[in-house]
Amino acid sequence: LDPDRQTAFWAAILDRPHDGWVVLPASDEPATMPIRFVLSREAKVDRPHLHPDLTSSSPGEQEATVARALGLGARHLDIGQGGDEGHVVLADPEGNELCVIEPDNDFLAGCGRVGCLAGDGSYATGHFWSAALGWPLVWDEGEETAIQSPAGGTKISWGGTPLMTASQKWRPHLDLVPSADSGVADEVARLVALGASYADVGQGDVAWVVLADPDGHPFCVQPRPPTAGWGSSPTLGR
């Protein structure tokens, strides 16, 4: 509802510069995804199917991150956690979930500031995104999956079934940019062959293509380059 406020909040939490709409990736972190916020007229209703897990190098840093977030407009969020977990669940100024993870979390060791985008998704969707991005599975147990770029950086994980239901369009979502030797049409054809489907979220006549993963979560394939400041990595749109 307020992209400028959201951008300023996340830029401050992540210690990143921004130009008013994009939190730019840090050059010293591999496979870091820029984040952008676009104006929405719909107030948030559902929990997001992807949320960021922020890492901590020490208990003091975890406490400082929580305190900074609260000072910038975040609030504590109850999603049914038991209270004895090491991580802290918060909501950003518009109610989007985020977790500040304890420093001794082995799964996120070495993953960077945004250690993981923790997702709601099935086993099939985890394998779809592994093939779509060319990121190998780093967790594949039961219904749960996780992938990570070969260069390291942020992981993406899916918790398996059952899935959350949605009464509004899914956000956040991933924006994909074709490689330098490919175009939108070729990339769309490749993704559909892997199991994606076309999706109508009311986008109308636009330059990008909206698809959905096997669970029906929409994502976009953007022309290259979609706008200044974006790289060739996937980006997270909210």
Side-chain angles (χ1 to χ4, degrees), residues 53-57 101-116 138 148 152-155:
D53 287 341
L54 307 185
T55 59
S56 306
S57 61
I101 307 299
E102 65 276 12
D104 57 351
N105 186 288
D106 293 336
F107 180 67
L108 300 184
C111 289
R113 186 69 171 124
V114 181
C116 184
V138 294
Q148 185 180 31
T154 302
K155 294 178 178 178

Side-chain angles (χ1 to χ4, degrees), residues 32-122:
T32 302
M33 292 176 279
I35 306 171
R36 70 180 183 128
F37 299 89
V38 296
L39 181 64
S40 174
R41 302 296 183 185
E42 301 176 20
K44 175 184 174 295
V45 176
D46 303 299
R47 287 180 57 191
H49 81 283
L50 284 173
H51 72 267
D53 287 341
L54 307 185
T55 59
S56 306
S57 61
S58 67
E61 184 182 50
Q62 183 184 23
E63 293 176 3
T65 299
V66 171
R68 180 188 294 184
L70 294 174
L72 291 167
R75 59 180 173 83
H76 286 281
L77 184 65
D78 184 356
I79 58 171
Q81 66 269 35
D84 56 351
E85 300 88 351
H87 63 274
V88 179
V89 184
L90 301 174
D92 72 13
E94 292 199 356
N96 300 298
E97 178 185 333
L98 66 135
C99 294
V100 185
I101 307 299
E102 65 276 12
D104 57 351
N105 186 288
D106 293 336
F107 180 67
L108 300 184
C111 289
R113 186 69 171 124
V114 181
C116 184
L117 298 178
D120 180 61
S122 66

Side-chain angles (χ1 to χ4, degrees), residues 107 116-117 123 126-127 130 135-141 143-149 155-159:
F107 180 67
C116 184
L117 298 178
Y123 181 84
H127 280 257
S130 177
W135 290 11
L137 288 160
V138 294
W139 183 265
D140 188 0
E141 186 171 308
E143 291 284 325
E144 299 178 353
T145 54
I147 62 175
Q148 185 180 31
S149 166
K155 294 178 178 178
I156 309 177
S157 68
W158 294 271

